[in-house]
Amino acid sequence: MKIMFSAGEASGDLHGANLARALKQLAPDIELLGMGGERMKDAGVDIVYDIANLGVIGIGEIIRKIPFFFRLRDFLVDTMKKEQPDVLLCIDYPGFNMRLIKAAKAAGIPVIYYILPTIWAWHKSRGKTIAKYTDLAISLFPFEAKLYEDLGTNVLYTGHPLLDSVHPSLSRHDAFQKFGLDEEKKTVLLMPGSRVQEVKSLLPCMLEAAEKLSRDHGDMQFLVPRATTIDRAMLDDIIEASGVPVTVGEGNVYDMMNISTAAIAASGTATLETTLMGLPTLLVYRVNRLTYWLSKVLVHIESIGLPNIIMGRRVIPELWQDDVTPDNITDAVLPMLDDGPRRTELCEGLSAVRRTMGESGAVMRTAKAVLTFARERGIHEAVQ
């Protein structure tokens, strides 16, 4: 059996790697190939295109790279036709994968879509495309599965994969030793994102806030995890220019979260990860003005953080666009650093999110669903 992946971001690389390991465990002889990153490669996927060059965010940036994305799509379609996988498995990255699934169907390749477009937030029309061109959709949330089912999609709810993977691998003491940090100091985790534009936009502002936090709260230390899609030299240049002492961590991101007192994180999967780790977090979101204006017109929700969407209320604070300033970040994070009522309120909200997300085991359930689909489709094709 052969499965081809299409994952386009660091979070997709993480989910793809976890799923690949589960597939290998269930079917050791399975062939896995496709677009992904370092984690998927380490999990046994033959990477035909590395996603390190896909760090694009915002409408303006995407428009400038449209010719590149067309060439990339054509390359993956050619790869599908050559390799003839039993299934194309798309992970998130809807701006690209929504077009790829159409080409796959035209080429006669069955499609599974894992981590679906957020039609409950915006681009509701994508739900009809998924229903038409996807043979099996795998949903992370029960309310999301219901929305897709109502559109006529063959959808299966398996639970959220982060419940399986979000946990520390080291003791707190060993983690402090690994990153060369002082166990007696407050530690703030700075997570500027996995895309180049995000890091360039958000990290300098985070570092200005870090300087203010140090002044206002006393002796503190700061930690930045490097996403696999971000070049280390770029991080070092931004940090050096700020003059703020910061430790850059490689790998073990959940151990970083485990030893941190609070986090400042770009909008995305990271805020759900910090939530599952019980780490009080400030979400920050800033894109170019065209993208932001379009999002205000098209997005139909009051919060953009996944923990807040899941609970239907602001479990973690959010700062958007022009509100992302060093002063506002400092004001939001300071109450998280001491054992006062605000920190207690935040921690209780994070616990509620974890309870709402259900049980672990989602990755293995998803792997079994993928294999069952591929085998049944293979039998069906053989009978025809």
Side-chain angles (χ1 to χ4, degrees), residues 314-327:
R314 285 282 174 98
V315 175
I316 62 171
E318 299 184 2
L319 291 176
W320 297 10
Q321 207 64 7
D322 292 339
D323 288 335
V324 181
T325 67
D327 286 340

Side-chain angles (χ1 to χ4, degrees), residues 199-219:
V199 174
K200 288 182 176 179
S201 172
L202 293 174
L203 185 55
C205 187
M206 289 182 177
L207 292 168
E208 287 188 56
E211 186 177 18
K212 288 179 63 63
L213 285 167
S214 294
R215 286 202 311 266
D216 296 346
H217 199 278
D219 203 11

